[in-house]
Amino acid sequence: MSFNTLDQVNLRGQRVFIRCDLNVPLDASGRISDDTRIRASLGGIRHALSQGARVMVTSHLGRPKEGRLGPGESLAPVAERLGELLDAPVALVSDWLDRPFDVAPGQVAMLENCRANVGEKANAEALARRMAALCDVYVNDAFGTAHRAEATTEALARLAPIACAGPLMASELNALGRALANPARPLAAIVGGAKVSTKLSILESLAAQVEWLAVGGGMANTFLLAAGHPVGRSLCEPEMVDTARAVAAALAARGAQLFMPTDVVTATEFSPTARATVKAVADVAPDDMILDFGPESVAQLVAMLGQCRTIVWNGPLGVFEIEQFSHGTRTLANAIARMDAFSLAGGGDTVAAINQFEVEECIDYVSTAGGAFLEFLEGKSLPAVKALQDRRH
């Protein structure tokens, strides 16, 4: 992937417009409950400030209706927290398209929630032109929104005098490119989740690329059913059995392998107090629910991954939030963390598991991008990334 990066641009005295992803969670009192995304955006902002740029930062927060902000949709608490982290005042600018404002060199202003601007969601060119007039350099550092063609992510990238990727965007794209565009092989992917239907495109895309594909979570039950194994009362999609068989056939046609559990952890109820029982997949009873990989299967999976040079992980193996059904995902997380292979992990449940088992520092790249990460795995072109690639010079 080829695109301009922030460190390649002379920012001295320039008006720099940075689109970040500062969509942080707020508690009932309107206070930020997790500032991870703000901290992650500091690199690009600090770099621009150190170059003496006039820095403007904007983001979406929540899902405001265009033309007005509702309760909890103002970036005011974000501006305050950013100022604390920068140890410098960050002014919040409201109505920034309709009234003049000034930012001094070496200072930063927060432009109020960009999704409140009429035309943002529609990727309106007229809106993007008004924003382009405010800046000399446009920086997209919000990979989490890269799958959306919106005025601040796509049209502005095409209309600003200079357009480049911020360090967060660049690191995400470089990691994804290393894992999928030009991976060291063998390449393995672990895909978990509740349903095959929600990750069908990902499974089909990966089946055409990987040497090994392991399926976990509820979707593994559909693959087990497709292979003729009983699944009892487990979460399953019988209507997706033919699809599961098609994925398996696509892998086999390439000489690649599908990994499914040979033993599982079951219970007759779904609760923190449920009694966990390890069974061979052939021995699952009609009243059983499959809630995790069994120890034999996890050991086999870890051994397989040990032969790989690139590992992509999206989705847990079981209900890791409940202790007695967490063994599979915990063992997988710790094993990947110890391996020499390049490891890329992403998706909400995957990140939660990585944090729960405290292995984030040992995974080569952990993506928190959500939808953009998943669409990249599906092989889709991301509009915001395409816009930056088209501006490469």
Side-chain angles (χ1 to χ4, degrees):
M1 259 179 279
S2 182
F3 43 85
N4 298 320
T5 58
L6 183 61
D7 58 2
Q8 297 172 329
V9 182
N10 180 5
L11 303 177
R12 180 67 57 185
Q14 299 296 296
R15 299 171 301 160
V16 179
F17 186 111
I18 307 180
R19 173 53 158 104
C20 294
D21 181 3
L22 306 176
N23 187 28
V24 295
L26 304 177
D27 63 21
S29 300
R31 293 188 294 265
I32 296 170
S33 56
D34 182 352
D35 67 356
T36 300
R37 287 180 175 175
I38 303 175
R39 291 179 178 275
S41 299
L42 290 174
I45 296 169
R46 282 176 170 154
H47 175 78
L49 291 173
S50 72
Q51 298 296 304
R54 304 167 182 263
V55 183
M56 298 165 279
V57 176
T58 194
S59 173
H60 68 290
L61 181 66
R63 298 180 177 179
K65 292 184 178 180
E66 292 188 358
R68 65 182 178 86
L69 289 177
E73 294 173 342
S74 171
L75 287 173
V78 178
E80 181 180 358
R81 181 58 180 147
L82 179 60
E84 293 171 352
L85 294 169
L86 293 173
D87 195 23
V90 175
L92 178 67
V93 183
S94 302
D95 302 322
W96 46 279
L97 287 170
D98 299 318
R99 64 182 179 89
F101 65 93
D102 184 51
V103 184
Q107 292 188 351
V108 57
M110 178 72 68
L111 308 185
E112 187 58 282
N113 196 327
C114 59
R115 282 198 183 155
N117 294 326
V118 177
E120 171 68 13
K121 295 285 288 182
N123 196 27
E125 181 176 328
L127 172 60
R129 289 193 181 281
R130 295 175 68 190
M131 293 188 288
L134 299 175
C135 66
D136 303 302
V137 179
Y138 164 77
V139 183
N140 191 334
D141 212 17
F143 181 78
T145 65
H147 58 310
R148 302 184 186 280
E150 298 179 347
T152 56
T153 64
E154 204 273 347
L156 179 54
R158 298 189 181 280
L159 296 171
I162 296 173
C164 62
L168 258 185
M169 172 73 83
S171 64
E172 187 96 25
L173 292 175
N174 288 334
L176 288 166
R178 181 175 175 182
L180 291 172
N182 188 30
R185 293 186 180 275
L187 164 63
I190 306 104
V191 181
K195 297 180 178 181
V196 171
S197 56
T198 61
K199 294 197 174 175
L200 176 58
S201 297
I202 294 172
L203 292 169
E204 291 175 337
S205 176
L206 291 174
Q209 302 178 62
V210 303
E211 278 70 49
W212 284 285
L213 175 63
V215 289
M219 69 169 59
N221 302 328
T222 301
F223 277 84
L224 287 171
L225 185 64
H229 297 293
V231 296
R233 295 189 296 116
S234 306
L235 178 63
C236 185
E237 293 179 288
E239 71 278 10
M240 298 299 291
V241 161
D242 287 343
T243 299
R245 289 173 179 153
V247 170
L251 287 162
R254 296 179 46 250
Q257 296 183 40
L258 173 67
F259 184 94
M260 293 188 297
T262 55
D263 66 335
V264 291
V265 181
T266 67
T268 56
E269 63 175 341
F270 184 88
S271 78
T273 59
R275 180 181 176 182
T277 303
V278 177
K279 295 186 176 184
V281 292
D283 297 333
V284 174
D287 63 340
D288 282 335
M289 289 181 285
I290 299 172
L291 299 174
D292 194 13
F293 274 33
E296 177 184 275
S297 299
V298 177
Q300 292 172 346
L301 176 58
V302 169
M304 179 269 285
L305 294 175
Q307 304 174 50
C308 297
R309 296 179 62 196
T310 305
I311 300 170
V312 177
W313 180 22
N314 171 239
L317 299 183
V319 186
F320 69 92
E321 300 91 344
I322 299 177
E323 173 60 30
Q324 58 268 42
F325 308 118
S326 66
H327 172 78
T329 305
R330 179 190 291 108
T331 303
L332 174 65
N334 284 299
I336 293 175
R338 293 192 304 268
M339 290 178 179
D340 293 332
F342 176 75
S343 52
L344 170 68
D349 287 342
T350 313
V351 174
I354 287 170
N355 291 337
Q356 179 173 320
F357 303 128
E358 300 180 340
V359 296
E360 181 176 1
E361 297 302 319
C362 301
I363 305 293
D364 289 301
Y365 197 87
V366 179
S367 172
T368 58
F373 175 80
L374 296 178
E375 290 201 11
F376 194 100
L377 292 187
E378 291 177 38
K380 292 182 178 179
S381 175
L382 306 182
V385 175
K386 179 65 164 55
L388 292 177
Q389 290 176 309
D390 290 346
R391 294 297 304 274
R392 170 67 176 165
H393 60 270

